[in-house]
mmCIF file of all heavy atoms in Angstrom:
data_model
loop_
_atom_site.group_PDB
_atom_site.id
_atom_site.type_symbol
_atom_site.label_atom_id
_atom_site.label_comp_id
_atom_site.label_asym_id
_atom_site.label_seq_id
_atom_site.Cartn_x
_atom_site.Cartn_y
_atom_site.Cartn_z
ATOM 1 N N ARG O 394 23.450 29.965 -18.094
ATOM 2 C CA ARG O 394 22.556 29.011 -17.448
ATOM 3 C C ARG O 394 21.891 29.642 -16.227
ATOM 4 O O ARG O 394 20.689 29.479 -16.005
ATOM 5 C CB ARG O 394 23.339 27.763 -17.030
ATOM 6 C CG ARG O 394 22.547 26.716 -16.271
ATOM 7 C CD ARG O 394 21.489 26.082 -17.138
ATOM 8 N NE ARG O 394 20.792 25.006 -16.438
ATOM 9 C CZ ARG O 394 19.715 24.385 -16.907
ATOM 10 N NH1 ARG O 394 19.205 24.734 -18.089
ATOM 11 N NH2 ARG O 394 19.142 23.430 -16.220
ATOM 12 N N GLN O 395 22.667 30.369 -15.444
ATOM 13 C CA GLN O 395 22.113 31.034 -14.270
ATOM 14 C C GLN O 395 21.049 32.058 -14.667
ATOM 15 O O GLN O 395 19.986 32.148 -14.038
ATOM 16 C CB GLN O 395 23.231 31.710 -13.477
ATOM 17 C CG GLN O 395 24.177 30.727 -12.779
ATOM 18 C CD GLN O 395 25.351 31.427 -12.140
ATOM 19 O OE1 GLN O 395 26.131 32.076 -12.837
ATOM 20 N NE2 GLN O 395 25.489 31.294 -10.839
ATOM 21 N N THR O 396 21.358 32.841 -15.725
ATOM 22 C CA THR O 396 20.416 33.853 -16.193
ATOM 23 C C THR O 396 19.108 33.212 -16.655
ATOM 24 O O THR O 396 18.011 33.683 -16.343
ATOM 25 C CB THR O 396 21.030 34.665 -17.339
ATOM 26 O OG1 THR O 396 22.234 35.296 -16.879
ATOM 27 C CG2 THR O 396 20.063 35.718 -17.844
ATOM 28 N N TYR O 397 19.255 32.106 -17.407
ATOM 29 C CA TYR O 397 18.078 31.396 -17.913
ATOM 30 C C TYR O 397 17.217 30.878 -16.768
ATOM 31 O O TYR O 397 15.988 31.066 -16.750
ATOM 32 C CB TYR O 397 18.530 30.248 -18.811
ATOM 33 C CG TYR O 397 17.467 29.223 -19.096
ATOM 34 C CD1 TYR O 397 16.420 29.485 -19.969
ATOM 35 C CD2 TYR O 397 17.495 27.969 -18.472
ATOM 36 C CE1 TYR O 397 15.429 28.546 -20.224
ATOM 37 C CE2 TYR O 397 16.514 27.015 -18.719
ATOM 38 C CZ TYR O 397 15.491 27.317 -19.590
ATOM 39 O OH TYR O 397 14.518 26.379 -19.832
ATOM 40 N N LEU O 398 17.845 30.210 -15.793
ATOM 41 C CA LEU O 398 17.090 29.647 -14.674
ATOM 42 C C LEU O 398 16.401 30.737 -13.868
ATOM 43 O O LEU O 398 15.246 30.590 -13.450
ATOM 44 C CB LEU O 398 18.020 28.826 -13.770
ATOM 45 C CG LEU O 398 18.577 27.526 -14.353
ATOM 46 C CD1 LEU O 398 19.583 26.909 -13.396
ATOM 47 C CD2 LEU O 398 17.459 26.544 -14.660
ATOM 48 N N LYS O 399 17.088 31.829 -13.660
ATOM 49 C CA LYS O 399 16.501 32.916 -12.875
ATOM 50 C C LYS O 399 15.304 33.520 -13.592
ATOM 51 O O LYS O 399 14.257 33.800 -12.973
ATOM 52 C CB LYS O 399 17.565 33.991 -12.626
ATOM 53 C CG LYS O 399 17.071 35.114 -11.717
ATOM 54 C CD LYS O 399 18.186 36.098 -11.406
ATOM 55 C CE LYS O 399 17.690 37.204 -10.476
ATOM 56 N NZ LYS O 399 18.763 38.178 -10.152
ATOM 57 N N GLU O 400 15.431 33.697 -14.904
ATOM 58 C CA GLU O 400 14.350 34.293 -15.671
ATOM 59 C C GLU O 400 13.092 33.421 -15.646
ATOM 60 O O GLU O 400 11.980 33.908 -15.390
ATOM 61 C CB GLU O 400 14.807 34.517 -17.119
ATOM 62 C CG GLU O 400 13.706 35.073 -18.030
ATOM 63 C CD GLU O 400 14.132 35.142 -19.485
ATOM 64 O OE1 GLU O 400 15.335 35.006 -19.765
ATOM 65 O OE2 GLU O 400 13.235 35.314 -20.341
ATOM 66 N N VAL O 401 13.268 32.120 -15.910
ATOM 67 C CA VAL O 401 12.102 31.234 -15.986
ATOM 68 C C VAL O 401 11.464 31.035 -14.615
ATOM 69 O O VAL O 401 10.236 31.067 -14.478
ATOM 70 C CB VAL O 401 12.497 29.879 -16.608
ATOM 71 C CG1 VAL O 401 11.284 28.957 -16.652
ATOM 72 C CG2 VAL O 401 13.041 30.074 -18.018
ATOM 73 N N THR O 402 12.276 30.822 -13.584
ATOM 74 C CA THR O 402 11.709 30.616 -12.244
ATOM 75 C C THR O 402 10.985 31.868 -11.763
ATOM 76 O O THR O 402 9.979 31.775 -11.046
ATOM 77 C CB THR O 402 12.801 30.224 -11.232
ATOM 78 O OG1 THR O 402 13.861 31.212 -11.261
ATOM 79 C CG2 THR O 402 13.380 28.862 -11.544
ATOM 80 N N THR O 403 11.478 33.055 -12.163
ATOM 81 C CA THR O 403 10.785 34.292 -11.790
ATOM 82 C C THR O 403 9.429 34.381 -12.469
ATOM 83 O O THR O 403 8.414 34.755 -11.846
ATOM 84 C CB THR O 403 11.640 35.511 -12.174
ATOM 85 O OG1 THR O 403 12.890 35.461 -11.473
ATOM 86 C CG2 THR O 403 10.913 36.814 -11.812
ATOM 87 N N ARG O 404 9.376 34.022 -13.756
ATOM 88 C CA ARG O 404 8.102 34.043 -14.480
ATOM 89 C C ARG O 404 7.094 33.072 -13.863
ATOM 90 O O ARG O 404 5.909 33.383 -13.730
ATOM 91 C CB ARG O 404 8.341 33.690 -15.950
ATOM 92 C CG ARG O 404 9.030 34.802 -16.732
ATOM 93 C CD ARG O 404 9.425 34.314 -18.114
ATOM 94 N NE ARG O 404 8.276 33.829 -18.866
ATOM 95 C CZ ARG O 404 8.368 33.056 -19.949
ATOM 96 N NH1 ARG O 404 9.575 32.679 -20.398
ATOM 97 N NH2 ARG O 404 7.279 32.656 -20.585
ATOM 98 N N ILE O 405 7.584 31.892 -13.491
ATOM 99 C CA ILE O 405 6.686 30.907 -12.864
ATOM 100 C C ILE O 405 6.175 31.430 -11.528
ATOM 101 O O ILE O 405 4.988 31.316 -11.195
ATOM 102 C CB ILE O 405 7.403 29.562 -12.672
ATOM 103 C CG1 ILE O 405 7.755 28.943 -14.029
ATOM 104 C CG2 ILE O 405 6.529 28.593 -11.869
ATOM 105 C CD1 ILE O 405 8.594 27.680 -13.940
ATOM 106 N N ALA O 406 7.083 32.031 -10.754
ATOM 107 C CA ALA O 406 6.687 32.560 -9.446
ATOM 108 C C ALA O 406 5.657 33.671 -9.602
ATOM 109 O O ALA O 406 4.707 33.782 -8.808
ATOM 110 C CB ALA O 406 7.916 33.061 -8.698
ATOM 111 N N GLU O 407 5.822 34.536 -10.607
ATOM 112 C CA GLU O 407 4.863 35.622 -10.828
ATOM 113 C C GLU O 407 3.497 35.088 -11.238
ATOM 114 O O GLU O 407 2.469 35.607 -10.824
ATOM 115 C CB GLU O 407 5.405 36.574 -11.905
ATOM 116 C CG GLU O 407 6.615 37.391 -11.441
ATOM 117 C CD GLU O 407 7.214 38.215 -12.575
ATOM 118 O OE1 GLU O 407 6.827 37.979 -13.749
ATOM 119 O OE2 GLU O 407 8.075 39.073 -12.284
ATOM 120 N N LEU O 408 3.500 34.036 -12.068
ATOM 121 C CA LEU O 408 2.233 33.442 -12.491
ATOM 122 C C LEU O 408 1.582 32.654 -11.356
ATOM 123 O O LEU O 408 0.357 32.558 -11.259
ATOM 124 C CB LEU O 408 2.468 32.532 -13.701
ATOM 125 C CG LEU O 408 1.238 32.181 -14.543
ATOM 126 C CD1 LEU O 408 0.576 33.452 -15.062
ATOM 127 C CD2 LEU O 408 1.642 31.295 -15.711
ATOM 128 N N ASP O 409 2.425 32.086 -10.483
ATOM 129 C CA ASP O 409 1.976 31.377 -9.270
ATOM 130 C C ASP O 409 0.890 30.337 -9.560
ATOM 131 O O ASP O 409 -0.228 30.415 -9.021
ATOM 132 C CB ASP O 409 1.463 32.383 -8.241
ATOM 133 C CG ASP O 409 1.250 31.733 -6.863
ATOM 134 O OD1 ASP O 409 1.907 30.709 -6.603
ATOM 135 O OD2 ASP O 409 0.444 32.253 -6.076
ATOM 136 N N PRO O 410 1.179 29.340 -10.409
ATOM 137 C CA PRO O 410 0.172 28.298 -10.685
ATOM 138 C C PRO O 410 0.096 27.296 -9.533
ATOM 139 O O PRO O 410 0.998 27.251 -8.685
ATOM 140 C CB PRO O 410 0.724 27.624 -11.953
ATOM 141 C CG PRO O 410 2.210 27.776 -11.835
ATOM 142 C CD PRO O 410 2.434 29.101 -11.154
ATOM 143 N N TYR O 411 -0.974 26.526 -9.508
ATOM 144 C CA TYR O 411 -1.097 25.459 -8.523
ATOM 145 C C TYR O 411 -1.247 24.124 -9.241
ATOM 146 O O TYR O 411 -1.600 24.079 -10.428
ATOM 147 C CB TYR O 411 -2.289 25.686 -7.588
ATOM 148 C CG TYR O 411 -3.631 25.732 -8.270
ATOM 149 C CD1 TYR O 411 -4.361 24.555 -8.520
ATOM 150 C CD2 TYR O 411 -4.194 26.938 -8.654
ATOM 151 C CE1 TYR O 411 -5.595 24.586 -9.136
ATOM 152 C CE2 TYR O 411 -5.431 26.978 -9.274
ATOM 153 C CZ TYR O 411 -6.130 25.814 -9.514
ATOM 154 O OH TYR O 411 -7.353 25.846 -10.122
ATOM 155 N N GLU O 412 -0.961 23.041 -8.553
ATOM 156 C CA GLU O 412 -1.013 21.711 -9.161
ATOM 157 C C GLU O 412 -2.418 21.416 -9.677
ATOM 158 O O GLU O 412 -3.401 21.599 -8.960
ATOM 159 C CB GLU O 412 -0.593 20.634 -8.152
ATOM 160 C CG GLU O 412 0.875 20.655 -7.798
ATOM 161 C CD GLU O 412 1.297 19.416 -7.026
ATOM 162 O OE1 GLU O 412 0.495 18.462 -6.946
ATOM 163 O OE2 GLU O 412 2.427 19.394 -6.504
ATOM 164 N N GLY O 413 -2.477 20.978 -10.938
ATOM 165 C CA GLY O 413 -3.759 20.648 -11.540
ATOM 166 C C GLY O 413 -4.519 21.844 -12.095
ATOM 167 O O GLY O 413 -5.640 21.692 -12.598
#
Side-chain angles (χ1 to χ4, degrees):
R394 177 67 176 172
Q395 290 174 299
T396 301
Y397 164 74
L398 291 174
K399 185 175 181 180
E400 177 186 347
V401 179
T402 54
T403 299
R404 288 171 58 197
I405 295 174
E407 290 174 349
L408 199 58
D409 192 24
Y411 61 87
E412 290 192 11

